Amino acid sequence: MRGEKLKCAAAAEAAAPVARKNVVIAGNPNAGKTTLFNALTHSGLRTGNFHGVTTSPAFKTVNGVRYADVPGLYSFNGYTMEEQSAAEEISRADLIIDVVDSATLESGLTLTEKLIKLNPQVVVYLTKLDKLKARGGFIDKNLLSRMLGVPVLSCPVKELRKAVEEGNFYYPQKDLNISLDGAYYGGNRALSGAERLFFNRFFALAFFVIFLTFTFFITFHPSMIGAAAKGWIEKLICEKLGGYLSARIQSEPLQSFVCEGVLGGVGGVLSFIPQIALLYLSLIILDESGISS
């Protein structure tokens, strides 16, 4: 702990003070961005290790520094509104704190390199070091810092906040000859039987096709829940509610408009909701499991 504080203090003393007003906390999904934002700003934003926790940028100003917590992203070519909003905030940042999951450092550095090209004022903040150490891995932060040409920290949040407010970070000269092999080792955690099976490209492809076929079967086959739910809604709206209103509306034009026009159109649209929900549920399962990637 003391060594980390000294490293952060050395980083703060190595450069002239520069005012930082707009600090963006960026990184891949589930890297710990919102947790760091809460610690830096004493906030209570919802956190979680699943998709969709941060869906729009959050802001808070502390001691003259405006912090922004943006949705996770993998590149600046995102097609979702969350990724686009994150890219917009990052483009306006005075300083970027790139939160990187130590257990998946190699994939996280892909975004780091893009951030550095966009804005050299980047600080890499490592999270989940305990998880990496538990499986026998390590990170040489000094070596990694020289390789990237930006500070690489894992110091206490108080020290990070102080360095951000003072605007002092040491940016070493980039050494292009340093290989990541000497700076990072991911550990020796063995894959389970199920993991090895799904890493097999032939099995993964076959499972993907079978899963989608099963999804369409339960969604659209007349004897399955999707088609059955569609029929229940049509019967409830068009037959039950339509018959009830038809018996009580005396005007034939109004009866036709309400029962056949309004209820017929509404029922036709609402009846597809169960099937759409089943399709979206299957896509969420594929996305969260990682099989679709």
Side-chain angles (χ1 to χ4, degrees):
M1 182 70 71
R2 183 179 177 182
E4 292 296 336
K5 290 183 178 180
L6 291 175
K7 290 178 182 178
C8 283
E13 295 173 356
V18 179
R20 303 295 182 190
K21 296 300 181 182
N22 187 23
V23 177
V24 174
I25 301 174
N28 292 156
N30 303 324
K33 301 179 301 300
T34 302
T35 300
L36 180 60
F37 177 84
N38 286 341
L40 286 170
T41 63
H42 304 290
S43 301
L45 298 182
R46 185 168 66 103
T47 61
N49 190 25
F50 49 88
H51 178 74
V53 176
T54 304
T55 56
S56 61
F59 307 96
K60 189 170 182 179
T61 300
V62 178
N63 295 335
V65 178
R66 178 178 179 267
Y67 294 92
D69 176 31
V70 300
L73 73 168
Y74 293 102
S75 70
F76 296 113
N77 298 322
Y79 298 101
T80 66
M81 294 180 62
E82 291 87 351
E83 291 176 320
Q84 291 172 6
S85 65
E88 290 176 2
E89 288 299 325
I90 290 172
S91 66
R92 295 191 290 263
D94 297 317
L95 174 69
I96 301 171
I97 300 178
D98 179 27
V99 181
V100 178
D101 183 350
S102 301
T104 58
L105 180 72
E106 293 170 302
S107 61
L109 289 183
T110 301
L111 177 64
T112 301
E113 293 176 352
K114 296 176 181 177
L115 291 173
I116 294 172
K117 290 180 181 178
L118 178 68
N119 185 347
Q121 302 301 310
V122 174
V123 174
V124 174
Y125 190 81
L126 300 174
T127 60
K128 305 181 184 180
L129 281 169
D130 292 341
K131 182 179 179 181
L132 178 66
K133 293 178 181 178
R135 66 189 196 193
F138 70 88
I139 294 179
D140 187 330
K141 287 176 288 188
N142 293 329
L143 196 61
L144 182 61
S145 179
R146 294 200 302 272
M147 182 192 74
L148 297 173
V150 300
V152 177
L153 307 174
S154 61
C155 57
V157 174
K158 290 183 178 179
E159 299 296 326
L160 177 63
R161 186 190 302 115
K162 181 180 178 182
V164 169
E165 292 173 358
E166 294 178 352
N168 295 329
F169 288 103
Y170 171 63
Y171 287 85
Q173 183 176 358
K174 189 173 183 179
D175 190 339
L176 299 177
N177 296 321
I178 295 178
S179 172
L180 186 61
D181 293 338
Y184 174 73
Y185 172 59
N188 55 3
R189 185 181 70 87
L191 296 175
S192 66
E195 288 173 325
R196 286 195 298 270
L197 189 62
F198 278 98
F199 272 117
N200 182 290
R201 58 181 179 177
F202 299 107
F203 176 84
L205 178 61
F207 181 86
F208 181 77
V209 173
I210 292 172
F211 185 87
L212 287 184
T213 302
F214 175 74
T215 298
F216 277 90
F217 176 74
I218 65 171
T219 302
F220 297 109
H221 193 275
S223 63
M224 291 291 102
I225 184 172
K230 180 177 181 292
W232 294 336
I233 294 177
E234 288 177 339
K235 184 176 181 180
L236 176 64
I237 295 177
C238 298
E239 294 184 19
K240 299 292 184 180
L241 182 58
Y244 175 83
L245 294 177
S246 178
R248 285 162 177 74
I249 298 176
Q250 303 299 322
S251 173
E252 186 173 339
L254 181 59
Q255 182 187 96
S256 176
F257 172 75
V258 173
C259 299
E260 297 178 12
V262 176
L263 292 183
V266 172
V269 173
L270 294 181
S271 63
F272 284 102
I273 289 180
Q275 294 177 316
I276 295 174
L278 285 173
L279 292 175
Y280 268 97
L281 177 62
S282 67
L283 291 177
I284 291 172
I285 293 173
L286 283 175
D287 183 49
E288 294 299 324
S289 66
I291 295 173
S292 60
S293 59

